[in-house]
Amino acid sequence: MRQIKRIKEMSIDERLANTNFPLPAIRQVNMAKHATGISLGLGELKGFEVDNKIKQAMTESWDDGAACYTQNAGLPQLRKEVADRQHHEDGCSYTVDNVIITIGVQNAVYSSIKTLAKLGAKRVLIPSIHFGIYKKIPAEFGLEVITYPLYDDFSIDLQSLESMLQKDDVMILNSPSNPTGRVYSDEELQALADLLKSKLTEGYVISDEIYGQLVYDGEDFHSFSKYFSRTIVVDGISKSGAVAGLRVGWVITQNEKLAKAIISNNATVISTPPTPNQWAAIPIVKGDTKETIKHYNKTLLENRNKVVSFLEKMNITYNAPRGSFYIFPKVSGILGDKVKEFCIQTAGEENGVVVIPGEAFGAPEYLRISLASFELEEGLIRLEKALKEWK
C-alpha cells in the first residue's frame, strides 16, 4: 500500500524518470537492421508501382480546394464512394452519413474503440494471434482485453468463443489477417455470424478489412458486414493502393447514430484528414485501379509460392496464406524459445535479413515473412543460412 501511495504522490518528472517505454518487437528488429540487410519484414507494398490514376487525382485536387479543410468526417466525394463500395460488398444501404474518413486504419480502430468505451463497453475480444494495436488501444481506455483462441490452421475456435462472449462485448475480427494471411470463407463467416446473432446482441464487431483487396488464391474476400449488421468496418487504401504513406482509412457502420458519435470523438483527435490524400483515395475506392491491384496479387501469389517451397525444403510447418502479404510459419522446432533473439541478431548481421518475431503478434513460436519484396529470393537464401547456422 505504501508503494502505491508513493507512486500516486510522484510528480510528472519522477514518474517519467521511473517509467520504461519499451519498443515493440517489430521496431526492435527493424532498428537492428544492418545497412547491407534485406527486409522481409515489410508491412507495405514498398517499391510496387503506384497507379498513375492515384497520382493524377492528387495533382488535380489542388484545383478543387486541396489546400483547405474538409468536413470533420472527411471529403463528401470520398465518403460517397466508400458508401457505394460497401453497398456493393454487403447489399446494405449507406449514405455519406454512415462514413468517417480517418488517418489510416489505426486511427479508425482507435476512434471506434474510444467511442464504444464512452458508450459503456467494458471488454474487447481479440484473436490470440493479432496485430499489436488490437491489444494496446483498448488497454489505453481501461477496457479488459481478452483473447479468443484460434486453431492451428488459424481458424476461430467457435466453441471457445461462445463460452466467453457476453452480450455487450466488442470483438475484433481481421480477415485477411496480419500476420497469418488467413482469409475466412463464406461458410466460416456465416457460422461466426450465426453465433454472434444469438450471443452478441448489444455489442459490436470491429472488422479490420484493410487487406480485403489483396486476395490472390481461392474464393474472393467477403466483408463481415454482409453477415452481421452490428459490424463496424475499418478499411483504407494503404495496402491495396501501395500508398501506406498517404494514411487514408475509414470507418463505416450501418448505425448512423453510432457514426455520428465516432465523428465527434475522432474530430478531437485529428480535426480532419489531409485533403489531397483523400482525393487521391477516390480512384482506389471506385475500383479504377483494379488492374494494378490484380498485378500486385499476381506478384504476391508468385512470392507466396516461393516461400512455400522454401519452407517445405526446410521442413518448417506453415499454413499457406490466401491473402494479405504475409506468411506465418512455426519455427520453434528450429529456434526453440529464441525466435525474437534470432530475428534481432539476424537483422543486425552484415548481409543479414529482417523477419519479424511472432512475439509481436502474441505467438512467440512463429515468425512473419513478408511477401512484399522484390529481393525475396536472396532474402530466403540468407534466411536459410541463418537458420542453419543458429545455435
Side-chain angles (χ1 to χ4, degrees):
M1 291 296 292
R2 289 181 180 178
Q3 180 65 21
I4 294 173
K5 184 177 180 181
R6 168 62 184 148
I7 292 172
K8 288 182 178 179
E9 292 174 350
M10 282 184 180
S11 69
I12 292 174
D13 288 345
E14 286 175 322
R15 289 196 186 99
L16 187 59
N18 288 277
T19 303
N20 292 319
F21 298 94
L23 287 172
I26 294 177
R27 299 288 173 245
Q28 291 180 47
V29 174
N30 283 324
M31 287 181 66
K33 180 179 176 291
H34 192 276
T36 61
I38 287 175
S39 181
L40 301 185
L42 294 173
E44 59 177 318
L45 295 180
K46 190 173 183 178
F48 284 64
E49 186 174 357
V50 176
D51 194 297
N52 281 329
K53 296 183 184 68
I54 300 169
K55 301 175 186 178
Q56 183 178 355
M58 176 175 275
T59 300
E60 293 176 352
S61 72
W62 297 103
D63 296 326
D64 292 308
C68 301
Y69 287 131
T70 63
Q71 299 172 8
N72 292 131
L75 187 71
Q77 293 91 327
L78 175 57
R79 292 162 67 200
K80 180 182 183 303
E81 295 300 338
V82 170
D84 289 348
R85 187 172 101 165
Q86 194 63 35
H87 169 72
H88 178 74
E89 289 282 349
D90 60 24
C92 299
S93 296
Y94 298 96
T95 70
V96 295
D97 293 326
N98 298 95
V99 182
I100 309 96
I101 306 301
T102 60
I103 300 181
V105 165
Q106 186 160 320
N107 174 212
V109 174
Y110 183 93
S111 289
S112 297
I113 290 176
K114 175 184 178 183
T115 301
L116 293 170
K118 284 191 170 187
L119 292 172
K122 298 178 178 63
R123 307 195 323 163
V124 175
L125 276 59
I126 67 174
S128 57
I129 299 174
H130 54 269
F131 187 49
I133 64 165
Y134 299 163
K135 187 173 185 179
K136 186 173 183 180
I137 291 174
E140 290 186 1
F141 293 103
L143 301 177
E144 183 181 2
V145 181
I146 300 166
T147 59
Y148 57 86
L150 305 178
Y151 289 115
D152 288 343
D153 65 353
F154 306 136
S155 61
I156 300 172
D157 180 346
L158 291 181
Q159 185 174 357
S160 294
L161 176 63
E162 181 177 16
S163 69
M164 62 178 61
L165 270 172
Q166 297 180 6
K167 63 180 181 180
D168 57 353
D169 282 336
V170 178
M171 176 184 170
I172 295 182
L173 182 69
N174 180 211
S175 173
S177 167
N178 174 15
T180 69
R182 189 68 151 78
V183 184
Y184 294 127
S185 67
D186 178 80
E187 291 77 12
E188 288 175 305
L189 293 174
Q190 187 62 64
L192 174 60
D194 290 343
L195 167 61
L196 296 179
K197 286 172 185 176
S198 64
K199 297 286 290 188
L200 195 68
T201 55
E202 298 176 14
Y204 281 90
V205 170
I206 298 174
S207 183
D208 182 350
E209 301 179 358
I210 184 65
Y211 295 96
Q213 302 301 306
L214 299 178
V215 176
Y216 42 77
D217 191 12
E219 67 178 86
D220 292 339
F221 161 80
H222 302 284
S223 175
F224 192 60
S225 62
K226 175 182 177 181
Y227 307 88
F228 186 62
S229 62
R230 299 182 71 88
T231 296
I232 300 168
V233 172
V234 296
D235 201 347
I237 65 169
S238 293
K239 312 303 180 180
S240 60
V243 286
L246 294 187
R247 311 305 305 132
V248 178
W250 57 83
V251 180
I252 184 165
T253 170
Q254 296 175 36
N255 187 327
E256 188 175 312
K257 195 163 186 179
L258 177 59
K260 288 180 179 178
I262 296 173
I263 293 168
S264 176
N265 283 307
N266 196 45
T268 63
V269 178
I270 69 163
S271 183
T272 69
T275 304
N277 301 24
Q278 295 182 72
W279 282 105
I282 289 176
I284 307 172
V285 178
K286 285 180 67 175
D288 292 343
T289 66
K290 62 183 179 181
E291 291 303 315
T292 299
I293 294 173
K294 284 182 182 179
H295 177 70
Y296 296 161
N297 282 327
K298 179 177 181 292
T299 300
L300 294 175
L301 178 59
E302 291 170 354
N303 286 356
R304 194 273 318 259
N305 292 341
K306 291 174 185 176
V307 179
V308 164
S309 296
F310 163 78
L311 295 172
E312 290 182 346
K313 181 179 72 172
M314 295 291 291
N315 198 29
I316 295 174
T317 301
Y318 70 93
N319 290 293
R322 294 202 302 112
S324 76
F325 43 80
Y326 312 106
I327 190 166
F328 202 57
K330 190 174 185 178
V331 293
S332 54
I334 297 175
L335 302 176
D337 61 356
K338 303 295 184 182
V339 177
K340 180 180 175 182
E341 289 87 337
F342 167 83
C343 292
I344 292 174
Q345 179 177 313
T346 304
E349 292 177 347
E350 187 174 3
N351 297 318
V353 61
V354 173
V355 287
I356 305 301
E359 176 183 311
F361 310 99
E365 296 179 321
Y366 295 77
L367 60 77
R368 190 188 76 177
I369 301 172
S370 174
L371 309 177
S373 173
F374 292 104
E375 299 180 291
L376 183 67
E377 292 183 29
E378 174 62 24
L380 293 176
I381 290 170
R382 296 183 184 189
L383 181 58
E384 179 178 357
K385 180 176 183 290
L387 287 168
K388 288 180 176 179
E389 292 179 354
W390 176 257
K391 295 179 182 180

